[in-house]
mmCIF file of all heavy atoms in Angstrom:
data_model
loop_
_atom_site.group_PDB
_atom_site.id
_atom_site.type_symbol
_atom_site.label_atom_id
_atom_site.label_comp_id
_atom_site.label_asym_id
_atom_site.label_seq_id
_atom_site.Cartn_x
_atom_site.Cartn_y
_atom_site.Cartn_z
ATOM 1 N N SER A 1334 14.472 -78.162 21.882
ATOM 2 C CA SER A 1334 13.496 -78.773 22.794
ATOM 3 C C SER A 1334 12.751 -79.915 22.103
ATOM 4 O O SER A 1334 12.403 -80.908 22.719
ATOM 5 C CB SER A 1334 12.505 -77.729 23.317
ATOM 6 O OG SER A 1334 11.859 -77.107 22.227
ATOM 7 N N GLN A 1335 12.510 -79.796 20.773
ATOM 8 C CA GLN A 1335 11.748 -80.839 20.068
ATOM 9 C C GLN A 1335 12.624 -81.936 19.484
ATOM 10 O O GLN A 1335 12.170 -83.050 19.253
ATOM 11 C CB GLN A 1335 10.926 -80.219 18.937
ATOM 12 C CG GLN A 1335 9.802 -79.338 19.432
ATOM 13 C CD GLN A 1335 8.960 -78.812 18.282
ATOM 14 O OE1 GLN A 1335 9.125 -79.210 17.142
ATOM 15 N NE2 GLN A 1335 8.051 -77.914 18.587
ATOM 16 N N GLY A 1336 13.876 -81.598 19.170
ATOM 17 C CA GLY A 1336 14.768 -82.615 18.612
ATOM 18 C C GLY A 1336 14.572 -82.820 17.117
ATOM 19 O O GLY A 1336 13.836 -82.091 16.457
ATOM 20 N N VAL A 1337 15.243 -83.848 16.611
ATOM 21 C CA VAL A 1337 15.217 -84.131 15.165
ATOM 22 C C VAL A 1337 13.816 -84.552 14.744
ATOM 23 O O VAL A 1337 13.201 -85.398 15.381
ATOM 24 C CB VAL A 1337 16.224 -85.255 14.834
ATOM 25 C CG1 VAL A 1337 16.161 -85.611 13.362
ATOM 26 C CG2 VAL A 1337 17.630 -84.827 15.215
ATOM 27 N N GLN A 1338 13.300 -83.945 13.664
ATOM 28 C CA GLN A 1338 11.973 -84.304 13.160
ATOM 29 C C GLN A 1338 12.095 -84.907 11.764
ATOM 30 O O GLN A 1338 13.114 -84.744 11.091
ATOM 31 C CB GLN A 1338 11.079 -83.057 13.107
ATOM 32 C CG GLN A 1338 10.908 -82.358 14.448
ATOM 33 C CD GLN A 1338 9.963 -83.086 15.379
ATOM 34 O OE1 GLN A 1338 9.070 -83.790 14.942
ATOM 35 N NE2 GLN A 1338 10.153 -82.949 16.674
ATOM 36 N N ALA A 1339 11.012 -85.577 11.347
ATOM 37 C CA ALA A 1339 11.045 -86.354 10.099
ATOM 38 C C ALA A 1339 11.454 -85.518 8.885
ATOM 39 O O ALA A 1339 12.216 -85.970 8.035
ATOM 40 C CB ALA A 1339 9.671 -86.979 9.862
ATOM 41 N N GLN A 1340 10.938 -84.294 8.793
ATOM 42 C CA GLN A 1340 11.204 -83.479 7.604
ATOM 43 C C GLN A 1340 12.693 -83.152 7.461
ATOM 44 O O GLN A 1340 13.244 -83.183 6.374
ATOM 45 C CB GLN A 1340 10.392 -82.188 7.700
ATOM 46 C CG GLN A 1340 10.481 -81.309 6.481
ATOM 47 C CD GLN A 1340 9.857 -81.958 5.274
ATOM 48 O OE1 GLN A 1340 8.882 -82.668 5.398
ATOM 49 N NE2 GLN A 1340 10.428 -81.751 4.124
ATOM 50 N N SER A 1341 13.347 -82.862 8.615
ATOM 51 C CA SER A 1341 14.773 -82.519 8.562
ATOM 52 C C SER A 1341 15.579 -83.687 8.014
ATOM 53 O O SER A 1341 16.546 -83.501 7.283
ATOM 54 C CB SER A 1341 15.297 -82.167 9.959
ATOM 55 O OG SER A 1341 14.379 -81.353 10.636
ATOM 56 N N ILE A 1342 15.163 -84.915 8.362
ATOM 57 C CA ILE A 1342 15.922 -86.101 7.922
ATOM 58 C C ILE A 1342 15.885 -86.224 6.410
ATOM 59 O O ILE A 1342 16.912 -86.400 5.762
ATOM 60 C CB ILE A 1342 15.352 -87.377 8.600
ATOM 61 C CG1 ILE A 1342 15.584 -87.319 10.103
ATOM 62 C CG2 ILE A 1342 16.006 -88.622 8.014
ATOM 63 C CD1 ILE A 1342 15.004 -88.486 10.881
ATOM 64 N N SER A 1343 14.687 -86.076 5.813
ATOM 65 C CA SER A 1343 14.597 -86.285 4.363
ATOM 66 C C SER A 1343 15.335 -85.186 3.600
ATOM 67 O O SER A 1343 16.012 -85.452 2.613
ATOM 68 C CB SER A 1343 13.134 -86.363 3.920
ATOM 69 O OG SER A 1343 12.512 -85.128 4.108
ATOM 70 N N VAL A 1344 15.239 -83.925 4.071
ATOM 71 C CA VAL A 1344 15.932 -82.840 3.366
ATOM 72 C C VAL A 1344 17.442 -82.970 3.547
ATOM 73 O O VAL A 1344 18.215 -82.685 2.633
ATOM 74 C CB VAL A 1344 15.443 -81.452 3.845
ATOM 75 C CG1 VAL A 1344 16.127 -80.341 3.072
ATOM 76 C CG2 VAL A 1344 13.943 -81.330 3.677
ATOM 77 N N PHE A 1345 17.864 -83.443 4.734
ATOM 78 C CA PHE A 1345 19.296 -83.656 4.990
ATOM 79 C C PHE A 1345 19.872 -84.616 3.947
ATOM 80 O O PHE A 1345 20.951 -84.389 3.398
ATOM 81 C CB PHE A 1345 19.483 -84.219 6.407
ATOM 82 C CG PHE A 1345 20.900 -84.663 6.701
ATOM 83 C CD1 PHE A 1345 21.866 -83.738 7.062
ATOM 84 C CD2 PHE A 1345 21.262 -86.002 6.603
ATOM 85 C CE1 PHE A 1345 23.176 -84.151 7.327
ATOM 86 C CE2 PHE A 1345 22.557 -86.416 6.864
ATOM 87 C CZ PHE A 1345 23.520 -85.487 7.231
ATOM 88 N N HIS A 1346 19.131 -85.697 3.660
ATOM 89 C CA HIS A 1346 19.636 -86.675 2.682
ATOM 90 C C HIS A 1346 19.712 -86.089 1.273
ATOM 91 O O HIS A 1346 20.638 -86.392 0.522
ATOM 92 C CB HIS A 1346 18.792 -87.951 2.710
ATOM 93 C CG HIS A 1346 18.989 -88.745 3.976
ATOM 94 N ND1 HIS A 1346 20.242 -89.119 4.411
ATOM 95 C CD2 HIS A 1346 18.123 -89.194 4.918
ATOM 96 C CE1 HIS A 1346 20.132 -89.780 5.560
ATOM 97 N NE2 HIS A 1346 18.850 -89.834 5.892
ATOM 98 N N ILE A 1347 18.727 -85.230 0.911
ATOM 99 C CA ILE A 1347 18.778 -84.570 -0.407
ATOM 100 C C ILE A 1347 20.040 -83.707 -0.481
ATOM 101 O O ILE A 1347 20.772 -83.724 -1.471
ATOM 102 C CB ILE A 1347 17.531 -83.674 -0.637
ATOM 103 C CG1 ILE A 1347 16.248 -84.508 -0.647
ATOM 104 C CG2 ILE A 1347 17.637 -82.885 -1.938
ATOM 105 C CD1 ILE A 1347 14.959 -83.689 -0.702
ATOM 106 N N ALA A 1348 20.334 -82.966 0.611
ATOM 107 C CA ALA A 1348 21.491 -82.071 0.634
ATOM 108 C C ALA A 1348 22.790 -82.864 0.560
ATOM 109 O O ALA A 1348 23.735 -82.489 -0.140
ATOM 110 C CB ALA A 1348 21.457 -81.219 1.901
ATOM 111 N N LYS A 1349 22.829 -83.997 1.285
ATOM 112 C CA LYS A 1349 24.034 -84.840 1.287
ATOM 113 C C LYS A 1349 24.304 -85.391 -0.118
ATOM 114 O O LYS A 1349 25.445 -85.428 -0.584
ATOM 115 C CB LYS A 1349 23.853 -86.008 2.265
ATOM 116 C CG LYS A 1349 24.484 -85.769 3.629
ATOM 117 C CD LYS A 1349 25.982 -85.654 3.517
ATOM 118 C CE LYS A 1349 26.729 -85.568 4.824
ATOM 119 N NZ LYS A 1349 27.813 -84.577 4.762
ATOM 120 N N GLU A 1350 23.208 -85.849 -0.802
ATOM 121 C CA GLU A 1350 23.377 -86.384 -2.159
ATOM 122 C C GLU A 1350 23.957 -85.340 -3.098
ATOM 123 O O GLU A 1350 24.712 -85.642 -4.007
ATOM 124 C CB GLU A 1350 22.014 -86.834 -2.708
ATOM 125 C CG GLU A 1350 21.608 -88.231 -2.273
ATOM 126 C CD GLU A 1350 20.149 -88.521 -2.601
ATOM 127 O OE1 GLU A 1350 19.662 -87.987 -3.610
ATOM 128 O OE2 GLU A 1350 19.523 -89.279 -1.836
ATOM 129 N N ARG A 1351 23.571 -84.074 -2.887
ATOM 130 C CA ARG A 1351 24.063 -82.985 -3.750
ATOM 131 C C ARG A 1351 25.465 -82.532 -3.338
ATOM 132 O O ARG A 1351 26.018 -81.612 -3.936
ATOM 133 C CB ARG A 1351 23.092 -81.799 -3.711
ATOM 134 C CG ARG A 1351 21.783 -82.100 -4.408
ATOM 135 C CD ARG A 1351 21.044 -80.840 -4.765
ATOM 136 N NE ARG A 1351 19.892 -81.118 -5.596
ATOM 137 C CZ ARG A 1351 19.909 -81.152 -6.928
ATOM 138 N NH1 ARG A 1351 21.033 -80.958 -7.565
ATOM 139 N NH2 ARG A 1351 18.820 -81.394 -7.611
ATOM 140 N N GLY A 1352 26.011 -83.150 -2.279
ATOM 141 C CA GLY A 1352 27.380 -82.836 -1.866
ATOM 142 C C GLY A 1352 27.527 -81.514 -1.133
ATOM 143 O O GLY A 1352 28.580 -80.889 -1.171
ATOM 144 N N LEU A 1353 26.479 -81.059 -0.454
ATOM 145 C CA LEU A 1353 26.553 -79.781 0.261
ATOM 146 C C LEU A 1353 27.281 -79.938 1.597
ATOM 147 O O LEU A 1353 27.216 -80.997 2.219
ATOM 148 C CB LEU A 1353 25.132 -79.238 0.530
ATOM 149 C CG LEU A 1353 24.534 -78.323 -0.533
ATOM 150 C CD1 LEU A 1353 24.365 -79.065 -1.842
ATOM 151 C CD2 LEU A 1353 23.203 -77.771 -0.082
ATOM 152 N N THR A 1354 27.946 -78.871 2.028
ATOM 153 C CA THR A 1354 28.573 -78.848 3.357
ATOM 154 C C THR A 1354 27.485 -78.505 4.374
ATOM 155 O O THR A 1354 26.789 -77.505 4.221
ATOM 156 C CB THR A 1354 29.675 -77.765 3.402
ATOM 157 O OG1 THR A 1354 30.598 -78.049 2.363
ATOM 158 C CG2 THR A 1354 30.374 -77.751 4.746
ATOM 159 N N ILE A 1355 27.346 -79.337 5.403
ATOM 160 C CA ILE A 1355 26.267 -79.130 6.379
ATOM 161 C C ILE A 1355 26.834 -78.519 7.664
ATOM 162 O O ILE A 1355 27.811 -79.023 8.222
ATOM 163 C CB ILE A 1355 25.580 -80.483 6.725
ATOM 164 C CG1 ILE A 1355 25.157 -81.230 5.465
ATOM 165 C CG2 ILE A 1355 24.416 -80.266 7.677
ATOM 166 C CD1 ILE A 1355 23.929 -80.730 4.783
ATOM 167 N N ILE A 1356 26.212 -77.423 8.129
ATOM 168 C CA ILE A 1356 26.592 -76.820 9.419
ATOM 169 C C ILE A 1356 25.443 -77.067 10.400
ATOM 170 O O ILE A 1356 24.347 -76.514 10.218
ATOM 171 C CB ILE A 1356 26.834 -75.307 9.271
ATOM 172 C CG1 ILE A 1356 27.957 -75.035 8.276
ATOM 173 C CG2 ILE A 1356 27.137 -74.676 10.629
ATOM 174 C CD1 ILE A 1356 28.202 -73.569 7.990
ATOM 175 N N PRO A 1357 25.645 -77.915 11.438
ATOM 176 C CA PRO A 1357 24.540 -78.180 12.384
ATOM 177 C C PRO A 1357 24.347 -77.013 13.353
ATOM 178 O O PRO A 1357 25.313 -76.499 13.916
ATOM 179 C CB PRO A 1357 25.005 -79.441 13.122
ATOM 180 C CG PRO A 1357 26.486 -79.477 12.948
ATOM 181 C CD PRO A 1357 26.861 -78.681 11.743
ATOM 182 N N VAL A 1358 23.091 -76.572 13.523
ATOM 183 C CA VAL A 1358 22.777 -75.454 14.420
ATOM 184 C C VAL A 1358 21.635 -75.879 15.337
ATOM 185 O O VAL A 1358 20.614 -76.377 14.869
ATOM 186 C CB VAL A 1358 22.342 -74.207 13.609
ATOM 187 C CG1 VAL A 1358 22.035 -73.045 14.543
ATOM 188 C CG2 VAL A 1358 23.410 -73.796 12.600
ATOM 189 N N LEU A 1359 21.821 -75.680 16.641
ATOM 190 C CA LEU A 1359 20.745 -75.970 17.602
ATOM 191 C C LEU A 1359 20.084 -74.653 17.991
ATOM 192 O O LEU A 1359 20.744 -73.762 18.534
ATOM 193 C CB LEU A 1359 21.316 -76.647 18.848
ATOM 194 C CG LEU A 1359 21.519 -78.157 18.758
ATOM 195 C CD1 LEU A 1359 22.192 -78.675 20.017
ATOM 196 C CD2 LEU A 1359 20.193 -78.879 18.575
ATOM 197 N N ASN A 1360 18.802 -74.527 17.709
ATOM 198 C CA ASN A 1360 18.080 -73.277 17.980
ATOM 199 C C ASN A 1360 17.252 -73.404 19.269
ATOM 200 O O ASN A 1360 17.004 -74.506 19.746
ATOM 201 C CB ASN A 1360 17.163 -72.971 16.780
ATOM 202 C CG ASN A 1360 16.572 -71.581 16.858
ATOM 203 O OD1 ASN A 1360 17.056 -70.738 17.599
ATOM 204 N ND2 ASN A 1360 15.518 -71.349 16.111
ATOM 205 N N LYS A 1361 16.808 -72.275 19.777
ATOM 206 C CA LYS A 1361 15.929 -72.186 20.968
ATOM 207 C C LYS A 1361 16.583 -72.778 22.217
ATOM 208 O O LYS A 1361 15.906 -73.438 23.015
ATOM 209 C CB LYS A 1361 14.570 -72.882 20.700
ATOM 210 C CG LYS A 1361 13.869 -72.381 19.431
ATOM 211 C CD LYS A 1361 12.449 -72.889 19.328
ATOM 212 C CE LYS A 1361 11.812 -72.553 17.996
ATOM 213 N NZ LYS A 1361 10.460 -72.965 17.841
ATOM 214 N N VAL A 1362 17.920 -72.586 22.374
ATOM 215 C CA VAL A 1362 18.591 -73.140 23.562
ATOM 216 C C VAL A 1362 18.217 -72.371 24.829
ATOM 217 O O VAL A 1362 18.506 -72.811 25.936
ATOM 218 C CB VAL A 1362 20.135 -73.144 23.398
ATOM 219 C CG1 VAL A 1362 20.571 -74.133 22.344
ATOM 220 C CG2 VAL A 1362 20.662 -71.758 23.082
ATOM 221 N N ASP A 1363 17.562 -71.176 24.655
ATOM 222 C CA ASP A 1363 17.197 -70.397 25.839
ATOM 223 C C ASP A 1363 15.864 -70.833 26.439
ATOM 224 O O ASP A 1363 15.450 -70.328 27.476
ATOM 225 C CB ASP A 1363 17.124 -68.901 25.480
ATOM 226 C CG ASP A 1363 16.155 -68.651 24.318
ATOM 227 O OD1 ASP A 1363 15.941 -69.601 23.529
ATOM 228 O OD2 ASP A 1363 15.624 -67.535 24.197
#
């Protein structure tokens, strides 16, 4: 319901730099 927020973006880039496999999950779909 809220969508992508600033904090997720910065942590995503840290994870990408470390070469982690990312699994996207959408929560609160109900």
